[in-house]
Amino acid sequence: MTYTHKIKNGIRVDLTVEEITALEARDVVWNNGALDRALTELRQIRNNLLKATDWYANSDLTMSSDMTTYRQALRDITNGLDTVSKVETKLEIEDGKYKNFPTKPSGE
């Protein structure tokens, strides 16, 4: 985005070179953090799904191999995600569900 002016007391005022530089630097920092923000969102969703199945890991239960595989797939979901686009693909929703997340085993 190109910054050229601001509104001060209802009047359009040209920005100084220093103000333009500061705003552009702020944009660079924001854009550089896009992947980290996207991964944080993905991890929060993944962590909630793991928490919902934590009780299967109680010592008095035997976790099925399907559930073990599902939980491992959730833990691995961030592997290889090195662009915002790849993370956004994981976060696509279809029919109220994340269509590119592992599927929880049925009946569990």
Side-chain angles (χ1 to χ4, degrees):
M1 176 175 226
T2 302
Y3 300 97
T4 59
H5 68 276
K6 62 184 174 184
I7 305 297
K8 186 172 182 180
N9 297 325
I11 300 171
R12 181 182 165 141
V13 179
D14 289 337
L15 293 172
T16 65
V17 171
E18 292 82 14
E19 289 172 319
I20 292 170
T21 301
L23 288 169
E24 289 173 346
R26 181 199 65 189
D27 285 353
V28 167
V29 169
W30 175 258
N31 291 334
N32 288 345
L35 179 59
D36 288 337
R37 287 189 305 278
L39 284 168
T40 295
E41 179 182 358
L42 179 68
R43 286 183 183 113
Q44 287 173 340
I45 295 164
R46 182 263 326 262
N47 290 347
N48 286 335
L49 292 171
L50 282 169
K51 285 178 190 174
T53 60
D54 277 350
W55 67 275
Y56 286 102
N58 285 335
S59 61
D60 59 340
L61 294 175
T62 302
M63 189 181 307
S64 71
S65 63
D66 286 346
M67 182 57 71
T68 302
T69 300
Y70 168 70
R71 288 175 53 86
Q72 186 61 53
L74 285 173
R75 287 190 289 276
D76 293 341
I77 199 164
T78 58
N79 293 351
L81 300 181
D82 54 1
T83 66
V84 173
S85 177
K86 288 179 182 178
V87 175
E88 288 173 345
T89 297
K90 292 288 185 187
L91 294 173
E92 289 176 2
I93 295 177
E94 187 175 274
D95 297 327
K97 296 180 181 179
Y98 294 99
K99 70 178 190 176
N100 296 309
F101 268 58
T103 303
K104 183 179 176 187
S106 60
E108 297 200 49

